[in-house]
Amino acid sequence: MIAITAPGDKHNMFSDREFRFKFLLAAVGALLVAALITAAIYAILRSGWVAEAQNRSIQLGNTIEQRLQNEDDLLALQITSMYASAPLMNDILDLFRSKTSRDYLDARLRRSRMTSASIRSFPEYIRAYIHRYRSSLYQIVLHGEDATHILSYSGGELAYAFDAPFAPQGIQNDVAMQKAIYNPAGNYEKIGEVSFLFRTSDIVRDLDFSAFTWAALTDGNGNVFELKNGSNPKAIALERVALIQDFSRFSFQLVTFMDDAAMIRSNFPIPLILVAVMLTLSAISISFLAHVIRFTIQRKQHIQTEFQLKIQQQQAEMRMLQSQINPHFLYNTLEAISSQALLNKNRPVADAITALGSLFRQMTNLPSHISMKDEMDILRTYLRVMEIKCAGSFCYQVELEPDLEKFQTVKFWLQPLAENFFSHGYDLASPYNLLIVRCYKDNRAVCIDLLDNGQPIPEERLALIHDSLSQPEKADGGIGLRNVHSRLNLFYGGGVSITVSNSEEGGVIVRVRIHETATKGGQQHV
């Protein structure tokens, strides 16, 4: 048995490969476009977020500056009052000049013996100030010519640290304000400086720095007072945004940093929604492009199929005319008819001539796409002519199920299959040559069988036929099985198979099977 595979399978393989390639390019392009759109929208949003962060930083800076201004105003008031009090000025002079706490206490004792008035204490004066205004001041550092003293206030308690080291340079946790102290009794000669340290946590209380990765105050002396701990400010990455707010009345600056991760977190879930929308648009675009690509490929294949079908039909008709209606065919047919007329002198001669003329008319007048009934009628006419030509040594039988009479097909493909019997299977020595043609439904397919009792095909010849039909690109231009198979697959869009085998009872069986999928394709030609 020989099975002829549909050439449409190879075309489908190439079309699927073409679709996958074009779909991949379209998907990559759609994703790139979506990524570019997403990046552009994110850049716009990021610009807005940076502007919003800038405004927030300005507001925070203004609030901090206002609070520092309040502390500075209160300090200025206290220092002015201190200059108006001689006992206070004497006490602070004793603090600057003393090297130890005992030196300071001895100086206070000597001064108290010299006057009956109460000796006012500068440390107590500052503690009263802290309590009265609930100031965030917690430490005072006196920088004299010979020593540095530290006064610390914690929970209402006062602690002294005379001649203590103090290095304000570098990163600190708190803000320091420095004030110069002058001696009004000595022509306002400068006697030293006092650093007032304020707790940063009190200054920035109830202020929200959550939108920033790091925040700090800096002064003109290179001090950095952290407001929010985060990444090391010396290792700021390029993608981070630095916002600097200068204070108008102080040498401080508010420096804040924020990166993309902080901006995304503070504006969540807007980026998530943006990504979801872009992915949805990408999916819709890819799906639409897939339909467009599929439609374009199918349309191109349809145009190619229609074109090839028309070419095949024209070639088949031309070859039919060249091979069937040629002088040799007419000579032999007319000679047989003439012989019958001379011998019998009866009506069959007229019938034969009528059948021959009918065959010519059917071949030339019918359209290229006809019903199965019309195709069977052409075959009957041809077989009737051959019956007369074979002079009683040939008979035939054609069967067509009524439900298949309107089934659409191409014109003139059964006659070449029947002609193979007369070319290869017809036995001149046999008085009884038979050809049966049946068209019927088998499950979900339409089957056409051609059975004869002629000479079987040698196995070697079957193998050669199989090799020839399995390689359509090596077609030799004939109108036999290969040409019929190609025309039917073009018309039905694939799904047509032809098998050739030797019958166990003798003869050859040619079976054409048009599968359900192909049948649906054929119905489009109704």
Side-chain angles (χ1 to χ4, degrees), residues 354-459:
T354 301
L356 184 60
S358 177
L359 177 62
F360 290 160
R361 284 193 297 271
Q362 288 172 331
M363 289 188 298
T364 56
N365 294 336
L366 288 176
S368 59
H369 302 165
I370 59 177
S371 66
M372 186 60 74
K373 180 180 181 302
D374 291 336
E375 179 64 12
M376 286 293 187
D377 289 341
I378 294 176
L379 179 63
R380 286 191 185 95
T381 304
Y382 170 75
L383 294 178
R384 173 59 180 159
V385 172
M386 297 306 296
E387 183 182 35
I388 297 172
K389 179 181 178 181
C390 294
S393 63
F394 166 71
C395 62
Y396 66 92
Q397 182 179 342
V398 178
E399 300 175 3
L400 172 64
E401 289 187 357
D403 293 343
L404 297 177
E405 289 183 352
K406 295 184 179 180
F407 182 75
Q408 293 294 293
T409 187
V410 290
K411 183 179 69 172
F412 209 74
W413 64 271
L414 282 173
Q415 184 273 340
L417 299 183
E419 185 183 357
N420 283 335
F421 165 68
F422 295 102
S423 300
H424 306 289
Y426 185 80
D427 189 357
L428 296 174
S430 174
Y432 183 70
N433 290 277
L434 174 64
L435 178 63
I436 299 175
V437 182
R438 295 183 302 184
C439 182
Y440 59 94
K441 285 186 178 179
D442 180 22
N443 292 330
R444 296 183 176 181
V446 175
C447 294
I448 300 94
D449 292 346
L450 290 88
L451 305 89
D452 64 60
N453 63 344
Q455 299 176 1
I457 303 175
E459 293 298 328

Side-chain angles (χ1 to χ4, degrees), residues 20-31:
R20 288 194 297 269
F21 177 72
K22 291 186 177 180
F23 175 76
L24 179 61
L25 289 180
V28 172
L31 291 176

Side-chain angles (χ1 to χ4, degrees), residues 173-318:
N173 292 325
D174 299 305
V175 176
M177 292 185 182
Q178 291 185 341
K179 301 291 184 180
I181 304 299
Y182 301 93
N183 186 2
N187 298 322
Y188 287 95
E189 178 186 1
K190 182 178 179 180
I191 59 177
E193 289 186 349
V194 179
S195 294
F196 298 89
L197 274 68
F198 298 88
R199 288 189 177 89
T200 306
S201 57
D202 292 339
I203 295 176
V204 298
R205 65 184 179 275
D206 65 31
L207 297 182
D208 184 13
F209 289 91
S210 61
F212 305 99
T213 56
W214 186 81
L217 287 175
T218 63
D219 63 13
N221 296 324
N223 297 312
V224 179
F225 312 103
E226 288 188 344
L227 306 180
K228 178 181 179 181
N229 294 327
S231 302
N232 188 342
K234 296 180 180 179
I236 298 300
L238 292 177
E239 67 271 12
R240 298 188 178 183
V241 179
L243 305 173
I244 300 176
Q245 171 68 14
D246 292 319
F247 290 179
S248 59
R249 301 185 59 181
F250 296 95
S251 62
F252 291 108
Q253 287 181 327
L254 173 62
V255 181
T256 53
F257 289 95
M258 63 185 304
D259 54 18
D260 290 88
M263 285 187 282
I264 291 175
R265 285 195 302 269
S266 61
N267 292 279
F268 191 82
I270 293 177
L272 182 62
I273 295 174
L274 174 63
V275 172
V277 170
M278 289 300 102
L279 290 177
T280 302
L281 292 177
S282 299
I284 295 174
S285 301
I286 292 173
S287 177
F288 174 74
L289 289 173
H291 287 294
V292 171
I293 293 172
R294 178 70 70 182
F295 174 78
T296 302
I297 294 176
Q298 290 177 346
R299 180 64 178 171
K300 182 177 71 174
Q301 290 178 340
H302 176 72
I303 293 174
Q304 291 177 346
T305 299
E306 288 293 326
F307 177 75
Q308 292 178 5
L309 184 60
K310 290 181 180 180
I311 296 298
Q312 288 277 355
Q313 185 66 31
Q314 292 175 358
Q315 290 177 348
E317 293 176 358
M318 291 298 297

Side-chain angles (χ1 to χ4, degrees), residues 13-46:
M13 179 184 67
F14 283 111
S15 63
D16 291 341
R17 185 183 303 171
E18 181 183 7
F19 171 76
R20 288 194 297 269
F21 177 72
K22 291 186 177 180
F23 175 76
L24 179 61
L25 289 180
V28 172
L31 291 176
L32 287 177
V33 171
L36 290 175
I37 294 176
T38 304
I41 296 177
Y42 177 74
I44 295 174
L45 292 176
R46 186 178 186 274

